[in-house]
Structures are given as C-alpha cells and as structure tokens.
Amino acid sequence: MTRSTWLAAILAFFGASLVLPAAALAIGSPRIAAVQVALRAKHLYDGTVDGHAGPATTAALVTLQRQAGLPPDGVAGPQTLAALGPLAGPALGTRALGPGDVGGDVVELQFLLAWHGFPSGTIDGTFGSHTETALVRFQQWAGLSTTGTVGPDTLTALHAPIPSCPVRLAWPIRVPVGDGFGPRGAGFHPGLDLPAPFGTPVHAAAIGSVTFAGPTTGGYGNLVVVKGADGVATLYAHLSRILVARGQAVTVGTLVGLVGATGETTGPHLHFEVRVRGAAVDPFPALG
Ligand SMILES: [Zn+2]
C-alpha cells in the first residue's frame, strides 16, 4: 500500500465510524444554542438547536451581520450578540434566574436540563411553567432543595457530566435507529426511534416489572413501562397492542407489545426511552 492508499483506508475507517445517530454526538455549547434560538426568533435559522456552530448557523450570523451593518465574519462577537437581542444574552450564572425570565441564560438552562434528562418542550429562552417543572424535577433528582430557581448549587449540578445508563440493554427491535437521543428541531428527543412496520414484536430491553401498561393522553400513545430494581426504567411507546399487564414480571426479551403509531407520531415506529431514577438517558451506548 502506498502512503496515500493507507491514508484513504484510515479516512474510510474513521469516516465509517462517524456514521452514528445524533445520540452519539457530543453535547453542544449552551451558549451557541442561545445564539441559535435568537437567530430562530429572527427567522434567520430553522436548523436544530444543537449548540454546534455548523454552516447553517454561520450563514444565519452572516445574514444578521449584513442586516446590522457589521463585518460579516459569521462569528458571534459582542456587537453581533447585541444585534441578536436578549435571547442571545446574558450568560447563565450572571444573574439570579426564575419564572418569568427571558434570555440566553434561560436557553442555556433549558438546553442543559434536556441533556440531563429533563427536557421542557421547546427551547425558546422563556422561563415558563414547563421549564419550572423540569427544573424542580432535576433539583429533586440531584438531591438539591427544590426551589424552582437557579442558584449556585443548581449551576454546579447542571455543569456535572450528564447521566448514562448503568446497565447493558437488549435491542427491543433489531432495526437501524431513526432519530437518536438529543436535540431535534427546537426541542429535545429523549429516546431512540426505531422505525418498523405495524405489528412488529417489541421485546423488553431489561429485566423488571411492568409499572404501567395502557393508553396515555400525552404523546406516547399506548405505553409500557418496565422498572428494574436498579432504578432503570425502560419505556416502549406508540404501541398498536400491549401484551403485558401492570405488575407483571418481565425478563430480557419478553414480548411486551406490537409496533404501532398511537400518540404523536407520523408513522409506525417504537419510541424507546430509558430513565435512570427519572432522568432520560441515551439508550444507544448501553445497547449490546
Ligand atoms: Zn421518539
């Protein structure tokens, strides 16, 4: 092999390993997420609020800079941030934060809460009731006093590493992943989507007992929840049929239901979610 074919082989290897669902991507910058939300509010950006300054974010910044008469370098410097308005600033931790507040720090809070397993709906920089609920649940999870406001303890907990699944999981359906765990549009997808035809059998990914089996009024549709003694809960959503009952013990591979499209979905798929003591975690790294 020549040096250039070696290089091509190495690039092909790493190129292949980069074909991973969004779930495997590193958490983006909360600050850049705030810039993206501010650009969205000005209808200059309709990409994902993922905290990664990719080409679409840079192009939107250049458009804004041209409109504001600033040098079009695509970088969010102080003048550009000022032109973006309150949704791009202040930075998280520079003021006390609570219900009713609007700003880039609220975006950062919403972004970090979502990655820690407590998404609050649309990441929009407005501290409303959904954000407050998510914050209180996070504070409870982190063993902090449930103030519903952001103080130093909460800031420290928000900057701690995000939780991961502590046990190995089995695939509920053996199919390629659709949407992964992570930012999706202006929101956050707290699980894996496994697209499969109606009626495809869904198997339990972990041992435990069924704590919920039935229809939900939220987006999950027909839902089965299996909770293990280790605090790990696995959720199977949008089912067309449920084949277990509440209180039933299940083991890895137990048939829990059939794929459907109940709840908020555009087509048949399994929404598979994993929660550790209530925090949604990325199931992908734990799947064997
Ligand atoms: Zn989903």
Side-chain angles (χ1 to χ4, degrees), residues 179-180 184 189-194 238 264 269-273:
D179 282 355
R184 183 166 71 176
H189 187 232
L192 295 185
D193 284 349
L194 299 173
H238 308 314
E264 283 168 28
H269 73 278
L270 175 71
H271 172 89
F272 175 55
E273 192 167 319

Side-chain angles (χ1 to χ4, degrees), residues 35-178:
V35 169
Q36 290 169 329
V37 168
L39 288 167
R40 267 181 168 264
K42 290 186 179 295
H43 307 290
L44 296 173
Y45 178 74
D46 64 0
T48 307
V49 178
D50 59 5
H52 295 290
T57 304
T58 305
L61 282 170
V62 167
T63 305
L64 173 89
Q65 288 165 333
R66 289 217 168 95
Q67 287 174 357
L70 298 169
D73 60 4
V75 176
Q79 285 179 301
T80 303
L81 288 176
L84 275 170
L87 283 174
L92 183 63
T94 57
R95 63 169 175 166
L97 209 54
D101 284 330
V102 175
D105 46 1
V106 180
V107 173
E108 292 188 54
L109 170 66
Q110 293 171 325
F111 187 79
L112 288 168
L113 282 173
W115 273 106
H116 279 271
F118 298 95
S120 58
T122 308
I123 296 177
D124 57 5
T126 299
F127 198 133
S129 61
H130 293 297
T131 303
E132 189 179 0
T133 304
L135 175 58
V136 166
R137 287 180 58 215
F138 171 69
Q139 288 174 325
Q140 205 159 24
W141 181 87
L144 305 171
S145 52
T146 52
T147 57
T149 57
V150 179
D153 289 353
T154 300
L155 277 179
T156 303
L158 284 169
H159 287 109
I162 61 168
S164 59
C165 182
V167 296
R168 294 289 285 173
L169 301 168
W171 287 87
I173 315 173
R174 280 274 178 190
V175 291
V177 176

Side-chain angles (χ1 to χ4, degrees), residues 1-12:
M1 262 190 192
T2 65
R3 183 175 292 198
S4 60
T5 46
W6 270 113
L7 187 62
I10 290 165
L11 282 173

